[in-house]
């Protein structure tokens, strides 16, 4: 019906327009037949255009409506009714605001009645996205464009075109969700849900770059003996401890502070609003106090202890990585002070840090050039009182500061990743000294050197060892490799594991001893799984065994078990006759320590051995 009305109006308009034209053409001498034929062609073109417009609008996939300026629908195509779930005829005369929203979001009648289109309001026109509701109550995303048209008589109407873009919006939302998830996973620790190292560095850089930035505090938190938790209770328990720690720290810090997990059992806290080191000290103490409180996990009572290093920058010119380096050094100081405490990077610590950084450069050069010294501490058979071996110990003589204690430079070498290179120097020194002892007639004396995990992992370690002793004419069984008991050995079936390397050393004919035995947490399991020839009982147990009954019992059991397994037992750190006699009575076979001799310089070995052979042998042990 609408089409016929429109067509009639078009024809009427055309006729009224053409009458004056016909009269003017007739006066100019044109024949009436020609004029009528031209008019007939124009009318046919107009009708065809009207039909094309009708077909296009009726069959367009997008919904189209014409509204008056009060929003009432004058005309709607079938797509508009289909999109909204209504019969098109039922929509004529209604304002879409009455039916396009769910009942709880539909405007009140007075607001709908007051609605007017404003042709001058460009913001209200154009392309917009709305969440609409169909007649069956289902929601969909409706993309709507509105334009205002003015007719020849001056009347205005609104043409609204809508499209159901639900699938596109949902796809974009899904992609955004995936993108946000990937971004979250890239910036957060999957276990504890706190930011990771990358997010921590970004936060630090953004904080420093802020125009109002003045001061910045940083805490570096490391859990004490976390490996014991994993090995004793399993990795699930370790995960529970990490989650608990992250939650405690998160609940303790300020709103603008950030906690991040940057390593296995390491966390950092960035404090943009901190006042000074004293404030960081108080915050650190609060964290340690809360972490001390036991918590229950899987019907077990768990406890967490940690060490914290705190650093503070009162200016905006300290790079984030430099502040982290200071906090790292303070954390190391807390560990060195006995763990479970807070260390502040103050002026004194800064002076020591500066000195150690200088040492790091000089130590690297000394190791690279082989300018390290070695001394040799003898080992004695407690029963026969015969010298049965020496242990090779590395020393560093600083060109300015003189002799640097091993406990001062070995941690630096470890941090620099130079322990493997340092142990290779000790291996070469051990081979050279053993060759010299053989030439002096002491071929039955063993020579030992320490092998760090870094040396065990060196791909050419065993080959270099074999080449060295064969070139020196040394029997393989006369070389003892001492490995720390707390090394992460792995499984012997794993080709590259340290346990596998030990098996290869034993297969090649070398002796292997577990060093510092008795202070670790998996010593007995190591005896069962590792192919070793002996153990060295840690000096920490030996030094207190006379006063501490528990330590004495542990030493006795280690000796008994080792003897039952056919392993050699060396007690290190023997300082007096009473300790030596007690060890011999327990059945301990070998000892070393200051009671026997301090470490000897290479040039003193021959004379010391000669004096022992020539002098009295009885040390009343």
């Amino acid at each position: 019906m609408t089409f016929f009305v429109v067509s009639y109006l078009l024809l009427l308009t055309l006729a009224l327009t053409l009458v004056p034209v016909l009269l003017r053409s007739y006066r100019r001498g044109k024949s009436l037949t020609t004029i009528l034929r031209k008019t007939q062609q124009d009318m046919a073109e107009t009708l065809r255009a009207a039909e094309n417009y009708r077909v296009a609008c009726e069959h367009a996939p997008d919904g189209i409506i014409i509204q008056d300026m009060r929003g009432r629908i004058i005309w709607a195509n079938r797509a508009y009714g289909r999109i909204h779930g209504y019969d098109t005829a039922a929509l004529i005369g209604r304002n879409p605001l009455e039916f396009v929203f769910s009942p709880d979001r539909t405007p009140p009648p007075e607001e709908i009645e007051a609605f007017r289109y404003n042709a001058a309001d460009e913001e209200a026109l154009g392309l917009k996205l709305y969440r609409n509701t169909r007649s069956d109550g289902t929601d969909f995303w409706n993309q709507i464009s509105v334009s205002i048209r003015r007719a020849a008589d001056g009347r205005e109407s609104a043409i609204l075109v809508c499209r159901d873009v639900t699938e596109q919006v949902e796809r974009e939302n899904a992609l955004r969700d995936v993108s946000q998830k990937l971004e979250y996973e890239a910036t957060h620790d999957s276990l504890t849900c706190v930011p990771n190292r990358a997010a921590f560095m970004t936060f630090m850089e953004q904080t420093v770059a802020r125009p109002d930035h003045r001061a910045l505090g940083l805490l570096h938190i490391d859990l004490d003996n976390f490996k014991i938790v994993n090995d004793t209770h399993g990795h699930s328990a370790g995960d529970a401890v990490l989650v608990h720690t992250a939650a405690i720290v998160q609940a303790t810090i300020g709103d603008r502070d950030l906690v991040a997990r940057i390593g296995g059992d390491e966390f950092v806290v960035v404090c943009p609003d901190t006042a000074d080191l004293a404030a960081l000290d108080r915050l650190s103490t609060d964290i340690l106090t809360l972490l001390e409180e036991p918590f229950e996990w899987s019907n077990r009572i768990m406890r967490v202890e940690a060490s914290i290093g705190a650093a503070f920058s009162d200016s905006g010119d300290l790079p984030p990585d430099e502040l982290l380096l200071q906090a790292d050094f303070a954390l190391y100081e807390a560990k060195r002070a006995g763990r479970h405490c807070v260390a502040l990077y103050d002026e004194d610590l800064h002076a020591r840090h500066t000195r150690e950084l200088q040492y790091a450069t000089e130590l690297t050069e000394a190791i690279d050039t082989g300018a390290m010294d070695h001394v040799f501490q003898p080992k004695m058979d407690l029963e026969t009182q015969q010298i049965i071996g020496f242990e090779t110990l590395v020393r560093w003589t600083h060109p300015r500061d003189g002799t640097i204690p091993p406990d001062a430079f070995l941690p630096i070498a470890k941090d620099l990743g130079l322990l493997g290179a340092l142990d290779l120097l000790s291996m070469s020194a051990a081979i050279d000294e053993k060759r010299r002892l053989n030439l002096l007639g002491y071929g039955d004396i063993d020579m030992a050197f320490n092998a760090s995990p870094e040396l065990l992992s060196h791909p050419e370690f065993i080959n270099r060892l074999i080449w060295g002793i064969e070139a020196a004419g040394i029997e393989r069984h006369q070389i003892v490799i001492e490995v720390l008991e707390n090394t992460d050995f792995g499984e012997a079936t794993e080709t590259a594991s340290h346990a596998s390397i030990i098996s290869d050393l034993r297969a090649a004919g070398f002796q292997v001893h577990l060093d510092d035995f008795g202070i670790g947490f998996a010593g007995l399991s190591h005896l069962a799984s590792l192919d070793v020839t002996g153990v060295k009982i840690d000096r920490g147990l030996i030094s207190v065994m006379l006063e501490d009954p528990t330590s004495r019992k542990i030493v006795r059991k280690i000796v008994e078990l080792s003897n039952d397994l056919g392993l050699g037992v060396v007690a290190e750190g023997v300082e007096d006759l009473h300790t030596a006699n007690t060890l011999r009575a327990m059945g301990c076979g070998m000892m070393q320590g200051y009671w026997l001799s301090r470490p000897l310089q290479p040039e003193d070995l021959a004379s010391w051995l000669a004096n022992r052979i020539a002098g009295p042998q009885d040390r009343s042990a």
Side-chain angles (χ1 to χ4, degrees), residues 1-3 54 57-67 71-96 98-99 135 160 162:
M1 183 66 182
T2 303
F3 168 69
R54 184 191 70 79
C57 290
E58 286 290 349
H59 297 280
D62 293 341
I64 304 173
I65 59 173
I66 300 175
Q67 300 169 276
R72 293 174 299 189
I73 298 174
I74 301 172
W75 176 86
N77 70 350
R78 284 178 290 183
Y80 185 85
R82 184 187 69 253
I83 291 173
H84 291 81
Y86 291 95
D87 179 72
T88 304
L91 299 179
I92 303 302
R94 300 183 65 186
N95 189 323
E98 300 173 12
F99 57 84
S135 61
L160 183 148
C162 68

Side-chain angles (χ1 to χ4, degrees), residues 24 130 187 244 250 256:
R24 287 195 299 270
Y130 297 93
T187 57
H244 176 76
Q250 184 73 68
R256 294 186 62 190

Side-chain angles (χ1 to χ4, degrees), residues 129-130 140-143 163-172:
L129 185 66
Y130 297 93
F140 71 101
W141 287 101
N142 200 359
Q143 187 182 67
R163 175 177 295 178
D164 183 351
V165 293
T166 304
E167 183 177 349
Q168 177 184 346
V169 171
E170 289 178 348
R171 183 166 57 248
E172 291 175 353

Side-chain angles (χ1 to χ4, degrees), residues 48-163:
R48 277 196 297 270
E51 173 66 11
N52 289 338
Y53 287 136
R54 184 191 70 79
V55 172
C57 290
E58 286 290 349
H59 297 280
D62 293 341
I64 304 173
I65 59 173
I66 300 175
Q67 300 169 276
D68 62 20
M69 297 304 283
R70 295 177 60 184
R72 293 174 299 189
I73 298 174
I74 301 172
W75 176 86
N77 70 350
R78 284 178 290 183
Y80 185 85
R82 184 187 69 253
I83 291 173
H84 291 81
Y86 291 95
D87 179 72
T88 304
L91 299 179
I92 303 302
R94 300 183 65 186
N95 189 323
L97 294 176
E98 300 173 12
F99 57 84
V100 297
F101 297 113
S102 59
D104 60 311
R105 294 191 298 122
T106 299
E110 58 271 19
E111 183 177 331
I112 297 175
E113 181 64 27
F115 174 83
R116 297 292 186 275
Y117 278 115
N118 182 1
D121 187 1
E122 296 182 357
E123 185 177 348
L125 306 178
L127 193 65
K128 296 187 180 300
L129 185 66
Y130 297 93
R131 182 164 64 90
N132 286 168
T133 303
R134 296 185 179 89
S135 61
D136 62 2
T138 59
D139 288 344
F140 71 101
W141 287 101
N142 200 359
Q143 187 182 67
I144 298 176
S145 66
V146 179
S147 59
I148 305 298
R149 292 293 180 266
R150 182 186 295 272
D153 60 1
R155 286 183 299 177
E156 293 180 323
S157 59
I159 300 176
L160 183 148
V161 180
C162 68
R163 175 177 295 178

Side-chain angles (χ1 to χ4, degrees), residues 208-209 213-215 313-319:
V208 172
H213 167 65
R214 291 294 179 270
S313 171
D314 58 0
S315 63
D317 56 356
L318 189 64

Side-chain angles (χ1 to χ4, degrees), residues 2 41 52 103 110 112 200 221 229 237 263 271 409 422 507 592 594:
T2 303
Q41 291 174 351
N52 289 338
E110 58 271 19
I112 297 175
F200 152 67
I221 306 170
V229 175
C271 304
F409 73 82
L422 196 62
Q592 69 181 79
Y594 285 2

